[in-house]
């Protein structure tokens, strides 16, 4: 008994546009992010449920898409939020390099940075709750964050080249004791602002 969940990253936020690490901070969508959400809806079919992180950039993306699809209300869950990025939050890469020399190049993180294990544990619970709500063979569209999706992909052995773009994500099958990765998805081509195809 499994549900299919399309887990995608939110539209561009104002801090994405500025190149700032967001973590659990709550900047809004940029004007481009709002456009991306409207465009993404054009590529989507029917779903039984639309869910999201409670952070504004995810919940607003989900609400725009849910309204376009005629599905709602959006179910929000704080366990789908982005990881807490500790002392990196609010900083650009040059600012991080200035305050934490060599950390980014070495893949190091500050001591208060939330671990992959913590993100994975809470996100597993959130997706299990969504899967239970839509039931066997149900489908859900869920808007979350890059860190959450990355930990899901690691759990199922899925690989991805480069950073996850806004409105990019992956299908997952979720059920009691089941987490399987499916096809990667890109709902909006950010360079051309076009919809790649119907999902």
């Amino acid at each position: 008994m499994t549900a299919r969940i399309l887990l995608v990253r939110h539209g561009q936020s104002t801090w994405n546009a500025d190149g700032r690490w967001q973590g659990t901070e709550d900047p809004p969508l940029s004007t481009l992010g709002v456009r991306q959400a409207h465009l993404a809806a054009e590529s989507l079919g029917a779903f039984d449920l639309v869910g999201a992180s409670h952070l504004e950039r995810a919940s607003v993306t989900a609400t725009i898409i849910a309204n376009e699809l005629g599905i709602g209300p959006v179910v929000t869950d704080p366990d789908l939020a982005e990881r807490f990025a500790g002392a990196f939050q609010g900083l650009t890469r040059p600012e991080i390099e200035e305050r934490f020399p060599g950390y980014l190049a070495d893949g190091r993180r500050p001591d208060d940075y939330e671990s992959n294990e913590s993100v994975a544990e809470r996100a597993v619970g959130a997706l299990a709750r969504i899967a239970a709500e839509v039931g066997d063979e149900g489908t859900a569209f869920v808007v979350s964050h890059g860190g959450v999706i990355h930990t899901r992909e690691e759990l199922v052995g899925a690989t991805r080249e480069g950073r996850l773009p806004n409105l990019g994500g992956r299908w997952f099958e979720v059920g009691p004791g089941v987490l399987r990765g499916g096809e990667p998805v890109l709902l909006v081509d950010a360079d051309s602002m076009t919809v790649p195809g119907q999902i």
Side-chain angles (χ1 to χ4, degrees):
M1 292 179 57
T2 61
R4 295 185 74 227
I5 297 177
L6 177 53
L7 185 62
V8 302
R9 186 178 176 216
H10 56 81
Q12 185 196 67
S13 73
T14 55
W15 280 19
N16 285 150
D18 292 342
R20 296 193 179 279
W21 284 51
Q22 297 171 109
T24 55
E25 296 295 328
D26 206 12
L29 289 179
S30 66
T31 301
L32 175 60
V34 171
R35 286 180 52 221
Q36 288 174 331
H38 283 287
L39 272 174
E42 295 178 15
S43 68
L44 295 169
F47 288 87
D48 299 307
L49 177 148
V50 176
S53 153
H54 71 298
L55 295 175
E56 182 176 346
R57 59 193 183 271
S59 63
V60 171
T61 300
T63 298
I64 291 169
I65 291 171
N67 288 342
E68 295 276 343
L69 298 180
I71 304 168
V74 173
V75 176
T76 59
D77 191 324
D79 284 342
L80 291 168
E82 182 60 286
R83 80 170 74 241
F84 178 63
F88 282 5
Q89 292 195 169
L91 302 180
T92 63
R93 293 182 76 86
E95 289 168 343
I96 291 171
E97 181 58 32
E98 181 181 330
R99 296 184 196 186
F100 301 91
Y103 269 52
L104 294 177
D106 296 342
R108 288 183 289 159
R109 300 294 181 254
D111 291 341
D112 54 353
Y113 194 87
E114 185 179 6
S115 69
N116 280 356
E117 293 76 18
S118 173
V119 176
E121 182 177 349
R122 59 181 170 81
V124 162
L127 294 182
R129 290 189 291 275
I130 289 169
E133 188 159 342
V134 299
D136 190 27
E137 298 185 9
T139 58
F141 177 79
V142 177
V143 181
S144 188
H145 306 268
V148 171
I149 297 168
H150 176 70
T151 62
R152 303 295 83 227
E153 291 180 325
E154 279 191 339
L155 278 179
V156 299
T159 59
R160 177 182 297 279
E161 290 187 21
R163 282 189 78 220
L164 179 67
N166 295 109
L167 276 305
R170 185 176 296 275
W171 281 100
F172 291 90
E173 287 185 46
V174 181
V178 175
L179 177 64
R180 287 191 290 267
E183 289 298 311
V185 169
L186 180 62
L187 299 181
V188 177
D189 184 321
D191 293 329
S192 64
M193 283 301 288
T194 59
V195 176
Q198 187 73 20
I199 302 296

